Amino acid sequence: MAARPYATLVPRQTHRILAGHCWVFRSEFQTIVGEAVDGEPLEIRDQRGTVVGSGLYSAQSQIAVRLLSRRSVEFDAAFFRDRLRQARALRDQRLGGRPARRLVSSEGDLLPGLIVDQYGDRLVVQTTTVGMDRRLPMWLDLLKAEFSPAQIVERNDLTVRRHEGLPERTGVLHGPADTRLVVRVGRCDVEVDLLDPHKTGSYLDQQLNHEAVARWVVPGARVLDCFCHLAGFGVHALLAGAKEAVAVDSAEASIAGARRSAELAQVGDRLVTHCANAFDWLRAADDARETFDLVVLDPPSFTRNKDSVAGAMRGYKEIHVRGLRRLGVGGRLATFTCSHHVSAAMFLETVLEAAVDARRILRLEETLSASPDHPVLPTIPESQYLKGFVFSVMEAF
Ligand code: SAH
């Protein structure tokens, strides 16, 4: 067998990878020995020639290699099947019989470049690196063998694929053409379309948080579910005893989905929906002095890179000032950021600055993160993107 191609790392920059991150940047290569082929295995060695890991090479991306292992391994179907089974075991343990769950979460499952979501007997696949994309036929075989799915949908309409020189692509790869289904997410049935441009049909990372936040609902509460998508927070709050939930989202498809979720949960008469820009809507609600007992803020990532963080923080502050002013003493705020550029500490600081402006004293009641089917590798900060807090308003002055 021909010697495996490998890259050596420039000195002094190896510590990040040795410390547990799996991305090797092109700028960290010193030499490449042998031929590095797009999408194919490449080993990484330190200055002394010791293997520090092996991964798949991306010829076009600045992230030239994503390590799949710290050892020198053969990337055959058996290797990937083992990883897939490990990923499944975690979900079976942590999410039990829930039919909707993320089966494979890229770096979090040591399978960088692969995401697989399960909705009942259907699977949705995303490949974000050229190495995983080339292996899509193998993944289809493995997924069919391990899960016998009724349908497999490809959702490769992800702009990150451009960095890898990959085209955007969606479609049904296996099974019937209809991609809509009703599936239980949390305690509610929701209608999802697996070709819905929002994630892969729904935000599974919030699945357990919908229930966690609902535990803060007091009977008869009035709830605001801002940036609601399918109103997972609002509908769970209604099922937990809220009198009314107001759900706001700028996408018409989200609002239609939210209405459908509420109907399926038989709380449609208590869900009020507004298709609006949440910034405008919150300003108007603030002017009108509307009041709520629970405000949920779950905006999209306001920042995709470090340069836009300052603007994002201003956006977070604005919605928090307005959201907090709509709460009286005893009211609760459940708030989330899904940007890995915004740390939990930065986010907390911004909420507290907003509380000063809104003249509210807050007590931190609960800290939340993505549901356990989105595992976190503490050495890879990008995997810890979703941060949430529940606060109570102790005093308004
Ligand atoms: N809370 C949802 C997930 C929300 S994701 C859940 O738990 O499932 C963010 C949502 O914000 C998306 O549905 C998107 O359509 C919506 N959105 C994005 N920008 C917005 C804006 N400016 N105003 C209102 N909604 C917005």
Side-chain angles (χ1 to χ4, degrees):
M1 192 181 83
R4 292 186 188 165
Y6 65 89
T8 55
L9 295 170
V10 291
R12 277 179 285 109
Q13 287 194 0
T14 58
H15 53 276
R16 194 176 47 82
I17 296 142
L18 297 178
H21 209 297
C22 73
W23 297 355
V24 187
F25 287 89
R26 190 168 304 283
S27 56
E28 293 165 334
F29 282 0
Q30 186 163 56
T31 52
I32 297 181
V33 177
E35 195 190 352
V37 179
D38 201 18
E40 294 306 313
L42 188 67
E43 286 187 356
I44 304 295
R45 300 191 184 190
D46 67 13
Q47 285 292 299
R48 287 171 302 177
T50 307
V51 173
V52 296
S54 45
L56 299 172
Y57 179 62
S58 296
Q60 296 200 26
S61 173
Q62 283 311 308
I63 306 173
V65 174
R66 286 169 176 81
L67 298 180
L68 286 134
S69 173
R70 299 286 152 171
R71 292 177 292 125
S72 177
V73 288
E74 202 67 53
F75 294 130
D76 53 13
F79 171 86
F80 289 114
R81 189 180 55 230
D82 282 352
R83 287 276 158 94
L84 181 61
R85 287 182 177 171
Q86 278 173 25
R88 180 189 198 158
L90 173 76
R91 280 67 185 177
D92 288 347
Q93 188 173 24
R94 298 296 308 278
L95 287 172
R98 286 171 191 265
R101 53 193 194 161
R102 176 151 292 189
L103 270 177
V104 176
S105 186
S106 201
E107 280 83 358
D109 290 293
L110 298 188
L111 286 169
L114 181 72
I115 291 167
V116 184
D117 284 348
Q118 182 172 22
Y119 291 90
D121 58 4
R122 325 266 192 117
L123 298 176
V124 182
V125 183
Q126 300 182 308
T127 48
T128 59
T129 60
V130 62
M132 284 303 190
D133 201 59
R134 295 261 167 93
R135 284 162 182 72
L136 191 53
M138 179 208 70
W139 281 115
L140 295 183
D141 288 345
L142 279 179
L143 291 169
K144 285 180 201 166
E146 297 290 313
F147 296 96
S148 310
Q151 184 182 52
I152 303 180
V153 175
E154 176 181 20
R155 280 298 306 280
N156 273 326
D157 45 347
L158 297 165
T159 51
V160 288
R161 282 170 55 95
R162 282 189 215 147
H163 302 302
E164 304 269 330
L166 296 168
E168 293 189 25
R169 210 170 51 210
T170 60
V172 176
L173 302 179
H174 166 71
D178 189 356
T179 54
R180 289 166 306 168
L181 75 154
V182 173
V183 64
R184 183 151 283 235
V185 180
R187 291 174 53 224
C188 305
D189 287 336
V190 296
E191 193 172 88
V192 295
D193 183 347
L194 303 180
L195 289 174
D196 176 345
H198 287 89
K199 293 257 178 168
T200 56
S202 87
Y203 291 85
L204 294 178
D205 50 1
Q206 292 285 30
Q207 179 168 199
L208 267 55
N209 293 336
H210 293 157
E211 295 162 60
V213 170
R215 288 194 278 274
W216 291 99
V217 168
V218 292
R222 185 164 191 248
V223 175
L224 174 62
D225 181 356
C226 210
F227 305 93
C228 66
H229 192 229
L230 304 180
F233 288 109
V235 172
H236 279 85
L238 289 169
L239 291 174
K243 178 182 71 209
E244 182 186 71
V246 178
V248 180
D249 199 287
S250 56
E252 266 174 40
S254 296
I255 293 298
R259 290 237 58 84
R260 186 83 183 108
S261 306
E263 280 156 22
L264 287 167
Q266 297 180 338
V267 294
D269 54 334
R270 291 186 285 139
L271 185 81
V272 178
T273 48
H274 296 282
C275 188
N277 181 325
F279 285 84
D280 298 339
W281 193 89
L282 281 166
R283 194 174 305 128
D286 207 15
D287 291 345
R289 298 184 181 277
E290 286 214 39
T291 55
F292 295 95
D293 303 292
L294 169 67
V295 168
V296 181
L297 300 175
D298 184 23
S301 176
F302 291 147
T303 165
R304 298 262 172 235
N305 53 54
K306 284 201 183 92
D307 300 337
S308 55
V309 168
M313 298 324 284
R314 281 193 294 278
Y316 282 119
K317 183 165 173 194
E318 178 178 339
I319 58 174
H320 284 90
V321 171
R322 298 197 190 282
L324 282 168
R325 280 210 291 241
R326 299 304 98 225
L327 290 168
V329 173
R332 285 182 176 128
L333 170 72
T335 184
F336 297 88
T337 175
C338 61
S339 170
H340 76 83
H341 296 289
V342 177
S343 69
M346 283 160 72
F347 187 51
L348 182 60
E349 195 181 305
T350 302
V351 177
L352 297 182
E353 282 174 15
V356 170
D357 287 12
R359 299 170 69 82
R360 298 288 186 278
I361 298 295
L362 301 182
R363 181 165 70 195
L364 178 57
E365 303 283 15
E366 191 172 358
T367 302
L368 299 166
S369 58
S371 296
D373 47 349
H374 296 63
V376 169
L377 263 60
T379 47
I380 302 181
E382 293 82 358
S383 66
Q384 200 161 17
Y385 64 99
L386 185 69
K387 279 89 53 178
F389 298 112
V390 180
F391 298 97
S392 292
V393 175
M394 302 301 290
E395 200 177 4
F397 58 100

